Amino acid sequence: MGLYVNPNNINFQEALDSPIYVDKSMLIAEINRLVRTTKKFVCVSRSRRFGKTMAGNMLCAYFSKGCDSHEQFANLKIAKDPSFEKYLNKLNVIKLDVNAFYSNLSKKEQEEKVDRKTRDITPIFNGAVVKELIPAFPDCEITEDDSIADALLKIYAKTGEQFVVILDEYDVLIRERVSEQVFKSYLNFLNAMFKNDNLAPAIALAYLTGILPVVRDKVQSKLNIFREYTMAGASRLSEFVGFTAEEVQALCQESGLDFEECKRWYNGYNLNGIEIYSPNSIVEAIDNGRIKSYWTQTGSYEALKNYILMDFEGILQDVKVMIGGGRVSVKVSSYLNTMTDFHSKHDVFTYLIHLGYLAYDEDTEECYIPNREVREQWILSVELSPDYKGLMELVNASKELVESTIECDASAVAEALNKSHEQICNNLNYNNEGTFQSVICLAYFYANLKYTIVKEMPAGKGVADVVMIPYVPNTPALIIELKRNACEKTALTQIHQKNYGNALEKYSGDLLFVGVNYDEKTKEHRCIIEKFVK
């Protein structure tokens, strides 16, 4: 048993002993399918505070020969899986937290004010691992001059022993933009370990975790042997990326937290059809007994601001659409997964998907701001930018618009929609039908504090364009129907004829029917509001 070679299971035990623990042990069953196969090279990337390290600690506790974890897993889901005993504490493990080596400066290095970006950590962790391999395999003639790859080759040749290699925060040197020399040293280590036909039989599993997927440029494409599971597509591992809706609902029932309020604040990520929540936000909300923004407090909004203010064609309008609750198309395949190769808005948005500031719909290939918690961070990022001055004026005025609607002031609503349309559209998409709902949602930005906003909601004999269901007492529900080049009265008539109000039959409060017409020639909105008392 060592720190890096065949570690113990104490880190995983601390997770089990925590006040809130969600059983994600079936991840082991999925990983066991890949061990000792051609699919054994795995890179799992996900946003910060989404449980990367915990998953790595669990896999270490399961595979490591340095401990006996039978009792730890006895009451977890994996214990009932047929593959449970297959590799339980039967493989050698090398586990490295790359960020720990990057962040930790010796006292001497601190005194000398060593720059981390030019400090080569590869020889440091290489030496630390080899130093533990020497006594662990005394008959294999390993020397301190050997690399980890060389040492594993000697061990496998002598004993046939295989290894599970777990690299946590493997991408920290990419994200921290270290010097080219330092990164090349690290890249050589990765290539020697995982792109080595002679060493491949000694590797039973390579499990990399990070925020970014494997970088994809001409040199680093050598690591294309890794199967990637990302925030843009996690395939069979989707349910293990964060907490699922079912898991959050169970936690809310146990703690007395309002599940519907949790959904409004933290829901929005969708991977392979599975609703995913940020574990950090849910745990903090339960622990503090209060629902508010937690995940965004774990990082500076500057990380978002620096990228959405980039001067790429179309990024300004797309950001406005997404802040208004809309979705925009994104090509996630163009991004090279680095911190320097940003060539278009698609690269920026893909990067923000990996960071968790955007969610991604694989089916429609669109990105969007997932929830209220993250949307607050976007507002902080743009509120002082001159480019977004008009947008912020709309956001700040949206509270007054909600009140104007409740007071049935149709002319005030029409004027607000005119301003919203100007902000969210450019000359190319001004009359695009797909932007109308975003116009509504941006103008009613403040409504998110009082309403659950549903677009294209099945209702009565058709589909209502926008429905706002209040979760604040004594607030009327809104049904908004949009028409183009027609008449606002026609929109109102459609609400009645197709019985859209039936969609809210379980809602006991007043209803407001809002008919809106947009004239493409004049670029003006007209509005009519009718109050319906149930």
Side-chain angles (χ1 to χ4, degrees):
M1 182 183 72
L3 291 176
Y4 313 110
V5 177
N6 288 327
N8 59 32
N9 53 23
I10 290 178
N11 286 337
F12 182 52
Q13 186 61 50
E14 289 183 354
L16 292 173
D17 293 340
S18 298
I20 300 171
Y21 174 75
V22 173
D23 185 352
K24 292 290 186 179
S25 62
M26 288 305 291
L27 170 65
I28 295 171
E30 290 294 334
I31 296 300
N32 279 348
R33 294 175 50 253
L34 311 177
V35 175
R36 292 173 172 166
T37 74
T38 57
K39 304 295 184 181
K40 63 187 177 182
F41 297 99
V42 179
C43 180
V44 180
S45 61
R46 58 181 95 163
S47 308
R48 56 188 165 82
R49 299 304 181 94
F50 266 71
K52 296 186 295 294
T53 299
M54 193 283 291
N57 289 337
M58 179 179 69
L59 293 175
C60 181
Y62 174 76
F63 288 114
S64 177
K65 282 186 173 183
C67 53
D68 182 351
S69 302
H70 282 78
E71 186 176 343
Q72 279 188 326
F73 289 102
N75 295 320
L76 300 183
K77 295 175 184 177
I78 187 62
K80 298 179 180 179
D81 189 83
S83 73
F84 175 54
E85 294 284 350
K86 189 172 184 180
Y87 300 115
L88 180 61
N89 302 131
K90 294 177 182 176
L91 290 172
N92 297 292
V93 170
I94 294 176
K95 184 175 185 295
L96 291 173
D97 180 351
V98 183
N99 185 52
F101 283 96
Y102 175 77
S103 302
N104 185 32
L105 294 177
S106 67
K107 184 176 180 181
K108 181 180 180 182
E109 288 174 324
Q110 293 178 42
E111 291 173 349
E112 295 176 353
K113 297 181 180 180
V114 170
D115 184 358
R116 288 185 175 89
K117 297 184 187 300
T118 59
R119 172 177 171 261
D120 191 354
I121 65 169
T122 303
I124 300 174
F125 66 67
N126 187 90
V129 172
V130 170
K131 190 174 182 179
E132 290 189 5
L133 288 172
I134 292 174
F137 299 91
D139 298 328
C140 295
E141 300 179 355
I142 305 169
T143 70
E144 292 188 1
D145 293 329
D146 284 328
S147 67
I148 297 175
D150 290 336
L152 296 191
L153 276 171
K154 290 181 177 180
I155 294 168
Y156 183 72
K158 184 79 173 181
T159 68
E161 293 274 356
Q162 289 183 299
F163 284 78
V164 170
V165 180
I166 300 174
L167 295 186
D168 192 19
E169 302 283 5
Y170 95 95
D171 62 334
V172 65
L173 300 188
I174 303 166
R175 291 185 279 115
E176 294 296 334
R177 306 185 197 189
V178 297
S179 70
E180 184 177 354
Q181 182 179 356
V182 169
F183 184 71
K184 282 185 176 180
S185 175
Y186 180 58
L187 180 64
N188 288 337
F189 160 75
L190 294 176
N191 283 332
M193 286 291 294
F194 307 124
K195 194 67 173 179
N196 184 333
D197 288 340
N198 293 325
L199 183 59
I203 305 294
L205 172 74
Y207 184 89
L208 275 56
T209 76
I211 292 176
L212 295 176
V214 173
V215 285
R216 297 186 295 110
D217 66 16
K218 294 178 181 179
V219 177
Q220 297 148 3
S221 63
K222 293 179 181 179
L223 298 178
N224 59 8
I225 56 173
F226 279 87
R227 171 68 185 275
E228 296 180 289
Y229 301 86
T230 76
M231 294 295 284
S235 186
R236 294 174 65 109
L237 302 189
S238 295
E239 66 179 287
F240 308 112
V241 169
F243 289 171
T244 65
E246 292 76 14
E247 290 164 345
V248 172
Q249 189 167 22
L251 289 171
C252 287
Q253 289 175 348
E254 293 172 7
S255 64
L257 208 63
D258 186 336
F259 174 61
E260 293 300 322
E261 186 73 355
C262 273
K263 286 183 66 174
R264 283 188 282 272
W265 273 86
Y266 310 126
N267 189 22
Y269 302 99
N270 190 300
L271 295 175
N272 202 28
I274 300 173
E275 293 180 10
I276 298 297
Y277 293 68
S278 162
N280 177 77
S281 298
I282 298 301
V283 169
E284 289 295 326
I286 293 174
D287 190 47
N288 290 288
R290 183 178 180 184
I291 296 175
K292 64 175 188 177
S293 178
Y294 292 104
W295 177 76
T296 52
Q297 294 178 5
T298 64
S300 169
Y301 75 89
E302 294 290 336
L304 171 63
K305 179 180 178 181
N306 292 339
Y307 293 97
I308 61 178
L309 296 183
M310 283 184 168
D311 188 24
F312 288 121
E313 183 178 0
I315 196 170
L316 180 67
Q317 292 302 132
D318 283 352
V319 168
K320 291 178 179 179
V321 168
M322 289 190 289
I323 288 179
R327 298 184 174 205
V328 300
S329 297
V330 59
K331 298 175 183 177
V332 297
S333 60
S334 67
Y335 179 46
L336 296 179
N337 303 332
T338 73
M339 300 296 293
T340 55
D341 295 302
F342 293 95
H343 302 296
S344 70
K345 66 178 182 180
H346 299 286
D347 293 343
V348 173
F349 292 157
T350 303
Y351 172 63
L352 295 177
I353 289 169
H354 293 310
L355 261 60
Y357 287 112
L358 289 175
Y360 179 67
D361 188 323
E362 282 189 87
D363 295 330
T364 63
E365 298 183 340
E366 294 174 319
C367 61
Y368 56 95
I369 299 174
N371 51 49
R372 177 177 172 181
E373 179 182 42
V374 179
R375 188 177 288 111
E376 288 188 354
Q377 200 82 342
W378 280 76
I379 291 298
L380 280 174
S381 299
V382 304
E383 64 180 352
L384 298 180
S385 169
D387 291 337
Y388 291 92
K389 181 180 179 181
L391 174 74
M392 291 310 302
E393 288 175 352
L394 277 176
V395 168
N396 294 329
S398 62
K399 180 176 182 179
E400 184 177 341
L401 175 59
V402 172
E403 298 302 322
S404 296
T405 307
I406 293 174
E407 294 171 2
C408 297
D409 188 343
S411 60
V413 172
E415 179 60 26
L417 294 181
N418 288 338
K419 293 179 180 178
S420 178
H421 210 136
E422 291 174 0
Q423 277 300 314
I424 214 166
C425 303
N426 56 33
N427 290 331
L428 295 178
N429 71 351
Y430 207 97
N431 295 326
N432 188 323
E433 187 171 355
T435 65
F436 291 167
Q437 290 176 340
S438 296
V439 168
I440 294 290
C441 292
L442 177 58
Y444 281 95
F445 184 87
Y446 174 78
N448 286 281
L449 302 182
K450 291 187 175 183
Y451 293 90
T452 296
I453 300 177
V454 184
K455 291 177 279 188
E456 299 292 342
M457 180 175 178
K461 301 176 183 178
V463 177
D465 286 327
V466 181
V467 176
M468 300 188 185
I469 307 169
Y471 51 86
V472 175
N474 303 316
T475 304
L478 276 65
I479 297 177
I480 303 175
E481 183 64 23
L482 309 175
K483 289 295 179 183
R484 184 170 59 171
N485 301 325
C487 176
E488 64 276 15
K489 293 181 180 179
T490 303
L492 193 62
T493 299
Q494 182 171 319
I495 295 175
H496 286 288
Q497 289 180 342
K498 294 194 175 183
N499 297 321
Y500 288 164
N502 288 349
L504 299 174
E505 59 184 356
K506 295 181 180 180
Y507 171 70
S508 60
D510 294 343
L511 303 180
L512 291 179
F513 298 157
V514 183
V516 177
N517 179 63
Y518 170 67
D519 189 311
E520 290 184 357
K521 292 182 179 180
T522 64
K523 296 183 178 180
E524 295 288 329
H525 295 79
R526 294 183 64 85
C527 176
I528 185 171
I529 304 174
E530 179 181 291
K531 180 177 289 188
F532 180 80
V533 181
K534 298 184 71 174

